[in-house]
């Protein structure tokens, strides 16, 4: 089964990842990719570079970022391959632990629907 782990962050804190965090994250990504449980992962550009499109009953609208009404945003994601939600949560926990105690970050984990 495939799961999407969406990393939610507070965007305007100005916090940047340390060299240690980047190195530790690189090791974790390498390990999880080699085991076949990490399909893909990436960080996202800030909402100031984003655009929202909406279809409200046939009427299309566009909102350019930044999106001031949003407190937390999806700042990155990991596409995971796991046999269960519990396994996907364990993999996500490892991503969160790499951030240590300097960060306030959460992940939402959801299974992809089979079409």
């Amino acid at each position: 089964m495939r799961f999407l782990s969406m990393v939610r962050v507070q965007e305007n804190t100005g916090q940047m990842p340390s060299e240690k965090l980047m190195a530790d994250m690189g090791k974790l990504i390498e390990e999880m990719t080699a085991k076949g449980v990490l399909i893909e992962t990436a960080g996202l550009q800030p909402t100031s570079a984003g655009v929202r499109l909406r279809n409200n009953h046939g009427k299309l609208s566009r909102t350019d970022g930044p999106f001031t009404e949003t407190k937390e945003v999806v700042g990155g994601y990991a596409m995971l391959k796991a046999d269960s939600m519990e396994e996907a949560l364990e993999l996500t926990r490892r991503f969160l632990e790499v951030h240590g105690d300097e960060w306030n970050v959460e992940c939402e984990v959801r299974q992809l629907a089979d079409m």
Side-chain angles (χ1 to χ4, degrees):
M1 295 180 278
R2 293 179 302 155
F3 294 85
L4 180 64
S5 179
M6 295 169 279
V7 182
R8 295 191 184 277
V9 297
Q10 293 179 352
E11 184 173 57
N12 297 318
T13 65
Q15 189 170 24
M16 298 296 293
S18 67
E19 287 183 31
K20 180 183 182 332
L21 172 57
M22 294 303 289
D24 290 349
M25 186 63 72
K27 289 176 190 173
L28 180 61
I29 289 170
E30 188 176 304
E31 173 195 330
M32 292 173 82
T33 300
K35 288 182 178 179
V37 296
L38 178 63
I39 299 168
E40 181 179 356
T41 188
L44 300 175
Q45 294 291 319
T47 61
S48 60
V51 176
R52 287 184 180 167
L53 295 178
R54 174 172 296 197
N55 178 346
N56 185 357
H57 302 285
K59 182 178 179 185
L60 296 178
S61 63
R62 171 187 173 140
T63 304
D64 293 324
F67 312 118
T68 55
E69 74 279 3
T70 304
K71 292 183 180 180
E72 291 183 338
V73 299
V74 176
Y77 70 94
M79 183 70 66
L80 305 169
K81 181 178 176 185
D83 292 330
S84 66
M85 174 61 86
E86 288 307 312
E87 182 182 354
L89 292 173
E90 176 60 24
L91 296 169
T92 298
R93 182 191 61 76
R94 294 190 61 205
F95 270 102
L96 288 174
E97 285 179 340
V98 168
H99 287 80
D101 60 3
E102 297 176 22
W103 287 79
N104 181 11
V105 59
E106 76 174 13
C107 293
E108 177 181 339
V109 180
R110 295 171 62 184
Q111 184 175 349
L112 272 67
D114 292 325
M115 298 303 253

